[in-house]
């Protein structure tokens, strides 16, 4: 359940270009965000920028904040607040205890996590998961979902898992990581090489024989939609392949987590071109040595953004069956269903809400 606590938490959206500082109370942003240029190559400069940003936000507050909580891109020792060797932040090479440093400066707990994790947590508490359950309730359905896989598609392939309101972090802080899983198209390459902005550009350039280095995902999406000159077939295929490899990675995740999937991030604006590739991969059968074919997933996946598939997902076909030799009946959920949907919150808001609620959960125990 999303916290309704009136405590205030300082937050940060840490990108490779800008640091955007803010504060949240009762799940609402309560200050004008402070935007500062990211410092990625100088440790002291980066630390000074972080202190400046949080200090400026804190000065806008009427109440003292109870914590600082934010996402930092890439692998790190989040439990101990140590940021290590990140490609986009060479200033942290060798390991910098960023969390303890900020705790010493501001005198309050500091929580740092992966952006994919906090995206999933925010969506599970305040976004896609409540949206699905509300739709099921309004449709008269008996089911309610508790588990969520959140995927961010952008510079890289982010992912987080929430199981019954508990964020899966893992013993090594790697819970939910899918970016380094095997690529469904190129088995000896990591999935992120086909699930990222650079992947969209690469496929478009290979198929169109054009220079795509200056094209954004929106540019390529506009080409696919016929709104901008370019190779329409190559543009559509670049997103279809991204969807295919995303789903190939998620198949194994869903067979373990068994829940709703939500996608967000900078590339999610092209979801209408990505989702068909994902659904195609989810429907791909696998076989046994005897030649028997079976679905890759035990549950059927529905595209929640498609009206017909959404209606089929919401349709309640669960029945009651009689207990032998008694007058009792029990519910029989004969269909296994999961849905894939696009974030309505947007990645930035979902991450901030995830950071806020994660901090309060840690403080409250």
């Amino acid at each position: 359940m999303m916290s309704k606590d009136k405590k205030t938490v300082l937050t940060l959206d840490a990108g490779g270009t800008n640091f955007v500082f803010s504060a949240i109370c009762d799940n609402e942003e309560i200050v004008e965000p402070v935007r500062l240029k990211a410092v990625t190559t100088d440790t002291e400069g980066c630390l000074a920028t972080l202190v400046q940003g949080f200090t400026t936000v804190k000065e806008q507050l009427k109440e003292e904040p109870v914590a600082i909580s934010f996402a930092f891109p890439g692998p790190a020792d989040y439990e101990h607040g140590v940021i290590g060797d990140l490609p986009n932040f060479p200033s942290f090479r060798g390991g910098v205890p960023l969390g303890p440093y900020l705790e010493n400066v501001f005198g309050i707990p500091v929580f740092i996590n992966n952006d994919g994790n906090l995206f999933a947590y925010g969506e599970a508490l305040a976004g896609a998961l409540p949206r699905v359950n509300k739709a099921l309730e309004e449709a008269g359905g008996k089911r309610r979902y508790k588990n969520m896989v959140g995927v961010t598609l952008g510079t890289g392939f982010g992912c987080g898992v929430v199981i019954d309101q508990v964020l899966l972090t893992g013993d090594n802080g790697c819970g939910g990581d899918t970016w380094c899983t095997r690529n469904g198209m190129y088995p000896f390459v990591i999935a992120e090489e086909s699930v990222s902005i650079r992947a969209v550009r690469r496929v478009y350039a290979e198929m169109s024989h054009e220079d795509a280095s200056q094209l954004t995902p929106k540019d390529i999406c506009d080409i696919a939609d016929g709104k901008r000159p370019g190779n329409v077939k190559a543009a559509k295929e670049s997103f279809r392949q991204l969807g295919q490899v995303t789903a190939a990675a998620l198949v194994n995740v869903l067979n373990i987590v068994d829940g709703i999937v939500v996608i967000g991030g900078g590339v999610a604006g092209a979801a209408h071109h990505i989702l068909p590739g994902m659904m195609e991969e989810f429907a791909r059968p696998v076989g046994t040595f005897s030649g028997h074919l079976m679905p890759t997933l035990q549950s059927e996946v529905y595209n929640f953004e498609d009206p017909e598939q959404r209606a089929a997902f919401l349709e309640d076909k669960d029945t009651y069956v009689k207990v032998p030799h008694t007058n009792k009946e029990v519910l029989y959920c004969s269909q296994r269903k999961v849905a894939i949907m696009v974030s309505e919150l947007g990645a930035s808001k979902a991450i901030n809400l995830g950071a806020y609620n994660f901090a309060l959960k840690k403080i409250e125990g």
Side-chain angles (χ1 to χ4, degrees):
M1 181 180 295
M2 186 168 62
S3 176
K4 290 295 183 181
D5 203 303
K6 296 293 185 180
K7 296 184 176 70
T8 299
V9 174
L10 301 179
T11 63
L12 163 66
D13 182 0
T17 304
N18 293 297
F19 287 165
V20 184
F21 302 84
S22 190
I24 294 179
C25 180
D26 195 18
N27 292 290
E28 295 292 339
E29 192 171 52
I30 59 172
V31 298
E32 186 67 28
V34 174
R35 184 182 299 268
L36 299 176
K37 184 177 175 56
V39 179
T40 61
T41 58
D42 172 42
T43 303
E44 290 301 323
C46 184
L47 295 177
T49 300
L50 291 169
V51 171
Q52 178 187 350
F54 285 125
T55 300
T56 304
V57 169
K58 186 179 176 182
E59 289 171 349
Q60 299 182 51
L61 302 177
K62 296 179 181 179
E63 303 287 340
E64 284 292 312
V66 298
I68 294 172
S69 185
F70 60 95
F72 221 74
D77 180 1
Y78 293 115
E79 182 179 356
H80 300 107
V82 179
I83 306 301
D85 297 343
L86 304 183
N88 294 340
F89 287 84
S91 59
F92 288 94
R93 282 180 186 153
V96 175
L98 181 58
Y101 169 75
L102 292 173
E103 285 183 357
N104 184 62
V105 172
F106 291 97
I108 53 178
V110 176
F111 304 100
I112 309 174
N113 216 309
N114 181 279
D115 52 359
N117 286 347
L118 294 182
F119 170 76
Y121 200 51
E123 289 287 348
L125 296 180
L129 200 57
R131 177 183 164 202
V132 162
N133 287 330
K134 181 180 179 182
L136 285 165
E137 181 182 5
E138 291 174 347
K142 299 180 248 341
R143 296 192 190 200
R144 298 295 181 268
Y145 286 78
K146 298 179 180 179
N147 304 328
M148 167 144 286
V149 179
V151 174
T152 55
L153 307 174
T155 303
F157 182 12
C159 184
V161 172
V162 179
I163 301 175
D164 197 9
Q165 300 186 17
V166 177
L167 179 64
L168 174 65
T169 53
D171 290 331
N172 295 289
C174 300
D177 283 2
T178 56
W179 63 274
C180 56
T181 56
R182 286 185 182 273
N183 188 306
M185 293 185 67
Y186 308 99
F188 297 103
V189 175
I190 63 171
E192 190 173 87
E193 285 299 289
S194 291
V195 186
S196 55
I197 292 173
R198 65 183 180 274
V200 175
R201 290 194 184 112
R202 174 181 57 78
V203 175
Y204 181 80
E206 288 174 354
M207 290 193 63
S208 67
H209 305 290
E210 299 173 10
D211 179 11
S213 60
Q214 300 305 311
L215 294 177
T216 67
K218 185 181 184 307
D219 294 334
I220 298 175
C221 184
D222 285 344
I223 293 171
D225 290 335
K227 298 177 181 178
R228 177 186 175 114
N231 189 313
V232 174
K233 183 179 179 180
K236 289 184 176 181
E237 179 62 13
S238 67
F239 292 116
R240 192 203 67 79
Q241 286 191 23
L242 183 145
Q244 178 185 343
V245 178
T246 300
L250 289 178
V251 161
N252 293 321
V253 177
L254 284 175
N255 272 322
I256 296 173
V257 176
D258 187 17
I260 302 300
V261 176
V262 60
I263 64 173
V267 183
H272 54 298
H273 294 299
I274 295 170
L275 286 171
M278 294 186 72
M279 299 303 295
E280 175 187 325
E281 184 65 23
F282 284 137
R284 189 188 303 276
V286 292
T288 65
F289 284 118
S290 64
H292 175 67
L293 293 180
M294 57 191 297
T296 55
L297 283 170
Q298 296 186 65
S299 301
E300 186 169 354
V301 183
Y302 293 80
N303 178 358
F304 202 79
E305 306 304 322
D306 178 273
E308 289 186 8
Q309 291 199 34
R310 183 190 308 130
F313 172 78
L314 296 174
E315 184 180 2
D316 187 0
K317 289 188 176 181
D318 296 338
T319 59
Y320 285 89
V321 293
K322 190 174 180 180
V323 179
H325 311 301
T326 73
N327 293 323
K328 297 179 180 180
E329 290 185 330
V330 296
L331 182 64
Y332 174 36
C333 299
S334 58
Q335 283 190 307
R336 294 169 173 174
K337 299 179 178 181
V338 294
I340 181 166
M341 55 205 306
V342 179
S343 171
E344 287 190 341
L345 292 176
S348 182
K349 184 174 182 179
I351 290 169
N352 276 340
L353 286 175
Y356 173 75
N357 283 280
F358 183 79
L360 294 188
K361 181 73 174 176
K362 296 290 282 188
I363 291 172
E364 295 163 2

